[in-house]
Amino acid sequence: ESQDANTGTTSNSNTSAKQTLKVTPKERTKPKKASATPKLSGAKLQSALSVVTSHENMASVFNDKGLHDKALSLYRKALDSKINALGKNDKAIGESYLKIGEVLLNKGDYKKALKEYRKAHRILEAALGKKHPELANCKDKIGLLHYDRYNYDDAYNMFIMAMEIRESVLGIDHADTAKSHNNIGMVLSAKDEHTEALVHFRQALKIKEKISGPRHPETATCYDAVGGALRDSGKFNEALIEFQKAFKIRVAQLGKLNKETAISHNNLGTVLLKLKDLNAALSEFRKALSIRENVLGKNHPDTGASHEHVGAVLLEKGDDEGALTSFRKALNIVRESANQKGRLIDTLHNNIGELHFKKGNYTGALECYRETLKNVEAVKGKGHPDTAACYDKIGSVLQAKGDLDEALEEFQKALEIRESVSENGNVAPFNRDDDDSDEDDESEGTDAPSVNTGADAADSSPDGTKTEKTAGLNVLFEAAMQHDDKGKKPGATGGAYTDAVREERDRQSKPAKKRYVEKPQNIDVRFERGGGGNNHPGNKRYLNLVKGERPVYQALNTNTKEKLEISMKIVREVNDYGGLFLKQDEDDGNKRYYILSTDEARKKVMQALREKPKEPKQSGKKRTPSLDADATGLDAVAAAATNAARRRTALRGRPARMHKPKQYVATFSDLDVRCERGGGGNNHPGNKRYLQLVNDMKPAYLSLPDTAKKAKHDLSLAIVNKIVTSGGRFLEMEKISGTGHKRYYQLSESEARIKVSQALRDKPKRKPNWSTT
């Protein structure tokens, strides 16, 4: 009996070709299990498995070299040999499917890779049980596949399930648990949740240092992860320190010409590029390129990535021809050895397209941008904001070319996508590659239930993150709907759906595992009974933040959205300077502190904002009102000054921040204020609202004497706070040199205040109507 590695179907060579076997639908859904006992034994079994080992060893090398077809051929030979020797339900068969899936993933064939991983998951779950570490490894593989497909919520759920298995079976300080922390941190970083990602990366580093020591190459990998999160959050100098630690370990343990050392050179180059040290960045990227060409070969995907990095620095230095040469080398390598729908190939098409556009080669630019559009649509879907950005680029080229009607059509497509996203509040769903997986499941020859690896719809928590509860329930619901033999609908008693719901509710009823910290830092916020942490430095800073925002919060009445934004603003303020929200565990004998989730911290902040401050002793002075829509004249001035003073008090004592690079935005909303030369944004809804605020406050501002600098500062800052707390941003337009494009970046609070002060000082050309409504 043999098995086709692609379909999983079996055939018997002794059966006549004329004979047919009729199978009823019931028999098809419940195939008879193959024998789990080995078909070979003794010396024959050992001989067959030794051949399998050789095949798999060679396949692993071919996979590392990027020769995926050769690797697949050998892995499938090994799979056939294992089935003949062991039967098709042995856990070794599941391991082979995992290896085949990994090669297919590296090749870019996500659809087939997911099918192989699902086969492995069913076999391993049936052979080992639901709480086995090898099943956690399989969930990791599926999670990584979802990560490569930008399905970050699905990837996060798989990594969380894998970590739960490892923590319960292996313990919280096991190396595989550290691996789970790294995977979760990677997804959180991709979702721009860098503070929470950093917590997981540092936990993984702590475990690795404890197990392997501070000088082990795997510890260097953890330093890289911490450095990457710091870099992505704008803390470039701190990231450089972490990358240098990893580099020193690799040079000492692996040598200067190792592929892992090339990773360190590459990481150092990325952060030096962010710091605008272009010569140093170029040197690091070229060192990485040299190592990869010598160790991995000139046609390896990582070598192509190094060419792209070199091109990026040359482009930044103004060497367009050198950049174009590097990008083309990278593109040729990626086309031959990697998938056609990956992040790198899209970056290359975009970079080459930009250079063609800059040189006036509109045909070449259109070709590159349309290739990017095709890949982005295939991976992210037709309703994704990145797809809209592709239409914008194509439209810009067509406009420069003079094809105005065609350009208008492309811009219209981009507008429709953005309007859809804005109205629905999320990205439009797209067809995933795993929709037809049921065909493959039926011919697998095992009764073990299939697992749907992602939640197609998950509820959001108030801060915008997906809730694991709903996501997990949806996973089990989908699995039940696909594999309930009785075909019962949700709500019917019995069947797989009821069992799935019961199992999920049992899992959810267990309290979440608390993440303890050894010792609270001075920048952390401690929640204790009786206000015992109020004298803690972190609590003092936090309470000042709450005090500064409380008047605005309590003046909003029932505006839940704005209240939520104010509470999340305080959470982000604490996280931005490295602080954590900690709660003392009263049930713990040592009274340890554990980390609150973002949602838990937000609820604590909202509770503090709702509390009414203690009334001071009556001094005969009338309290000044807060700045709101009803405040006019001198009351508004007094309220503005009071609120701005409170805000300065809240921010006093915070550590100084390094200068951050410009934060460019993909699109703007009707709440934003667009700062453009010549008043180009005056018809924008956000600008109209902003100008009305300025006009209302201008008489009071101009009536103040020149010596009242503090009052003028507070008044302009109050207008900035009014825009920000209502969900708006101050955006500055910037023209891209030599391209005719324009983009917007977000102004800081101080930059926005300067803009407001300037607007308040401007005297109108005609006499305005200063009446207020």
Side-chain angles (χ1 to χ4, degrees):
E1 190 175 50
S2 62
Q3 182 182 51
D4 187 290
N6 289 321
T7 64
T9 55
T10 58
S11 61
N12 194 322
S13 59
N14 295 325
T15 304
S16 172
K18 296 181 181 180
Q19 290 179 330
T20 59
L21 181 64
K22 294 182 179 181
V23 183
T24 65
K26 187 173 182 180
E27 290 172 332
R28 186 184 299 274
T29 57
K30 287 190 174 182
K32 185 178 179 181
K33 282 187 178 181
S35 174
T37 58
K39 296 182 178 182
L40 300 178
S41 60
K44 290 184 178 181
L45 177 61
Q46 294 301 322
S47 177
L49 293 181
S50 65
V51 174
V52 166
T53 301
S54 293
H55 282 152
E56 291 184 339
N57 289 341
M58 294 175 65
S60 176
V61 175
F62 282 130
N63 186 36
D64 288 343
K65 289 174 67 66
L67 302 175
H68 302 125
D69 290 333
K70 289 185 177 181
L72 278 176
S73 176
L74 288 172
Y75 274 138
R76 283 169 176 158
K77 284 183 180 179
L79 174 64
D80 290 340
S81 299
K82 283 184 180 180
I83 291 174
N84 289 331
L86 303 170
K88 58 184 178 181
N89 288 331
D90 191 271
K91 76 180 185 74
I93 308 302
E95 293 168 357
S96 281
Y97 281 128
L98 283 179
K99 292 172 182 176
I100 292 172
E102 182 179 352
V103 180
L104 289 168
L105 181 61
N106 292 338
K107 193 178 179 183
D109 197 335
Y110 298 97
K111 183 176 180 180
K112 290 183 179 179
L114 182 57
K115 289 182 179 180
E116 300 299 318
Y117 286 158
R118 280 178 164 168
K119 294 175 189 176
H121 192 284
R122 286 196 306 274
I123 292 172
L124 292 175
E125 188 176 61
L128 304 173
K130 294 183 178 181
K131 290 292 184 180
H132 197 279
E134 289 193 31
L135 191 65
N137 294 337
C138 186
K139 291 181 186 295
D140 271 353
K141 300 281 188 183
I142 296 171
L144 289 170
L145 186 146
H146 282 305
Y147 175 81
D148 284 342
R149 296 289 284 171
Y150 304 94
N151 300 333
Y152 296 135
D153 291 321
D154 295 345
Y156 178 80
N157 289 332
M158 296 306 297
F159 292 148
I160 285 291
M161 288 189 282
M163 187 170 74
E164 288 176 351
I165 293 174
R166 287 163 175 159
E167 286 186 336
S168 63
V169 177
L170 303 175
I172 60 174
D173 290 331
H174 193 273
D176 286 351
T177 306
K179 179 181 176 182
S180 283
H181 281 295
N182 262 329
N183 289 338
I184 294 169
M186 178 178 67
V187 176
L188 291 171
S189 286
K191 295 172 69 176
D192 293 328
E193 298 175 17
H194 301 300
T195 302
E196 293 186 19
L198 203 54
V199 173
H200 285 281
F201 286 143
R202 283 181 168 148
Q203 183 64 26
L205 173 61
K206 178 182 174 182
I207 295 171
K208 282 292 183 182
E209 285 183 327
K210 184 176 181 180
I211 295 174
S212 305
R215 308 294 297 171
H216 195 278
E218 291 183 0
T219 307
T221 302
C222 293
Y223 280 124
D224 276 346
V226 173
L230 290 168
R231 177 196 60 202
D232 294 341
S233 59
K235 300 175 181 178
F236 303 130
N237 289 322
E238 296 178 43
L240 189 61
I241 293 172
E242 301 298 322
F243 288 146
Q244 287 171 340
K245 291 177 183 177
F247 175 70
K248 290 178 181 178
I249 293 173
R250 285 169 174 150
V251 170
Q253 302 297 325
L254 304 174
K256 294 183 178 181
L257 299 179
N258 189 276
K259 66 177 184 179
E260 298 294 324
T261 308
I263 293 175
S264 279
H265 283 300
N266 182 71
N267 289 336
L268 289 168
T270 59
V271 74
L272 289 168
L273 180 59
K274 293 287 187 182
L275 290 168
K276 300 301 180 182
D277 191 348
L278 301 183
N279 291 329
L282 186 59
S283 174
E284 295 297 333
F285 286 143
R286 281 177 170 163
K287 288 176 183 177
L289 173 60
S290 176
I291 294 172
R292 285 169 172 170
E293 283 183 334
N294 291 326
V295 176
L296 302 175
K298 294 186 177 182
N299 294 322
H300 193 276
D302 290 348
T303 306
S306 287
H307 279 298
E308 191 275 329
H309 293 144
V310 170
V313 181
L314 293 174
L315 184 63
E316 192 76 16
K317 288 169 69 71
D319 185 358
D320 292 349
E321 291 300 324
L324 187 58
T325 300
S326 293
F327 291 149
R328 282 173 172 166
K329 287 180 181 179
L331 186 60
N332 290 333
I333 294 171
V334 173
R335 279 175 173 167
E336 292 296 326
S337 60
N339 67 84
Q340 295 290 309
K341 300 177 183 178
R343 294 174 174 85
L344 177 58
I345 199 166
D346 290 343
T347 302
L348 290 169
H349 280 306
N350 271 329
N351 291 342
I352 295 173
E354 290 286 349
L355 287 170
H356 282 315
F357 192 17
K358 188 176 181 180
K359 294 171 65 177
N361 181 9
Y362 299 135
T363 303
L366 280 175
E367 182 181 350
C368 290
Y369 288 153
R370 282 172 174 156
E371 280 293 323
T372 303
L373 173 63
K374 183 172 67 174
N375 290 342
V376 171
E377 282 185 334
V379 175
K380 298 185 178 181
K382 295 183 177 181
H384 197 278
D386 288 353
T387 306
C390 292
Y391 283 125
D392 277 344
K393 290 181 179 179
I394 294 172
S396 298
V397 179
L398 291 170
Q399 184 180 12
K401 193 179 177 183
D403 298 335
L404 301 183
D405 291 337
E406 295 181 34
L408 196 58
E409 290 179 5
E410 300 298 321
F411 290 141
Q412 180 65 31
K413 293 175 184 176
L415 176 61
E416 290 172 356
I417 293 172
R418 289 177 176 131
E419 286 180 341
S420 175
V421 172
S422 178
E423 291 173 3
N424 299 330
N426 53 15
V427 178
F430 61 97
N431 295 326
R432 297 186 178 172
D433 287 341
D434 54 333
D435 289 341
D436 58 349
S437 59
D438 287 341
E439 294 180 10
D440 218 52
D441 293 342
E442 290 181 358
S443 60
E444 194 47 41
T446 174
D447 287 336
S450 174
V451 173
N452 190 336
T453 59
D456 292 332
D459 292 340
S460 298
S461 64
D463 63 338
T465 58
K466 301 290 184 181
T467 56
E468 184 191 347
K469 268 189 178 181
T470 312
L473 196 59
N474 286 337
V475 171
L476 293 172
F477 172 78
E478 291 295 331
M481 291 299 291
Q482 291 179 16
H483 299 282
D484 190 351
D485 295 332
K486 297 181 180 180
K488 294 189 176 182
K489 298 181 180 179
T493 58
Y497 174 72
T498 305
D499 295 338
V501 172
R502 186 181 299 111
E503 180 180 343
E504 178 61 20
R505 285 175 177 168
D506 290 343
R507 188 180 73 83
Q508 293 175 8
S509 64
K510 298 177 182 178
K513 189 176 289 293
K514 296 175 180 177
R515 294 179 294 162
Y516 292 98
V517 297
E518 291 184 356
K519 183 180 179 181
Q521 304 296 317
N522 286 339
I523 56 177
D524 296 333
V525 179
R526 292 162 37 186
F527 293 107
E528 305 175 13
R529 288 187 179 276
N534 288 348
N535 291 324
H536 181 66
N539 287 50
K540 290 181 179 179
R541 185 184 288 114
Y542 159 70
L543 291 173
N544 281 335
L545 287 171
V546 171
K547 183 179 178 182
E549 298 292 347
R550 184 180 283 137
V552 180
Y553 183 91
Q554 295 184 354
L556 290 174
N557 296 327
T558 58
N559 195 328
T560 306
K561 181 178 179 181
E562 292 194 12
K563 287 185 173 181
L564 176 63
E565 178 57 32
I566 291 173
S567 62
M568 284 304 301
K569 179 182 177 183
I570 294 176
V571 173
R572 286 192 292 267
E573 288 279 357
V574 173
N575 290 336
D576 281 348
Y577 55 73
L580 297 173
F581 285 87
L582 307 175
K583 185 174 182 180
Q584 192 174 50
D585 191 352
E586 296 294 329
D587 298 329
D588 183 67
N590 297 322
K591 302 290 183 182
R592 293 182 297 171
Y593 293 88
Y594 63 90
I595 302 172
L596 296 179
S597 67
T598 301
D599 191 45
E600 291 170 330
R602 179 191 57 78
K603 290 178 180 178
K604 288 284 188 183
V605 172
M606 293 185 78
Q607 181 181 353
L609 288 167
R610 286 195 299 268
E611 292 176 355
K612 293 184 178 180
K614 296 180 179 179
E615 292 291 338
K617 295 181 179 180
Q618 296 296 328
S619 60
K621 293 184 180 181
K622 186 176 179 180
R623 295 180 61 192
T624 55
S626 300
L627 176 63
D628 54 31
D630 298 326
T632 59
L634 295 178
D635 284 342
V637 176
T642 300
N643 289 339
R646 287 169 177 165
R647 179 163 182 80
R648 283 203 309 277
T649 301
L651 297 178
R652 189 179 296 125
R654 286 175 54 190
R657 295 186 186 178
M658 59 183 290
H659 175 70
K660 290 188 177 181
K662 295 178 180 177
Q663 296 181 354
Y664 293 98
V665 298
T667 184
F668 47 77
S669 72
D670 289 345
L671 299 173
D672 296 330
V673 178
R674 292 161 44 188
C675 304
E676 303 180 15
R677 290 186 179 272
N682 287 349
N683 291 324
H684 182 65
N687 288 50
K688 291 180 179 180
R689 178 170 171 267
Y690 159 68
L691 291 173
Q692 183 62 49
L693 278 172
V694 170
N695 288 336
D696 288 343
M697 304 307 299
K698 186 173 288 188
Y701 185 92
L702 295 176
S703 67
L704 294 171
D706 292 339
T707 55
K709 293 183 178 180
K710 180 177 178 296
K712 290 184 174 182
H713 176 282
D714 293 344
L715 185 58
S716 59
L717 187 59
I719 294 178
V720 173
N721 291 338
K722 183 68 176 177
I723 295 294
V724 172
T725 54
S726 63
R729 300 168 295 180
F730 284 83
L731 305 177
E732 178 84 9
M733 189 195 78
E734 176 184 86
K735 289 186 177 180
I736 304 175
S737 177
T739 64
H741 295 281
K742 64 181 182 180
R743 56 185 175 180
Y744 293 87
Y745 63 89
Q746 186 172 348
L747 297 178
S748 66
E749 183 184 82
S750 60
E751 292 170 331
R753 186 197 60 75
I754 293 172
K755 291 282 186 184
V756 174
S757 297
Q758 181 180 352
L760 288 168
R761 286 194 302 269
D762 289 342
K763 294 183 179 180
K765 295 180 180 180
R766 62 184 68 176
K767 188 176 180 179
N769 179 14
W770 295 120
S771 61
T772 57
T773 58

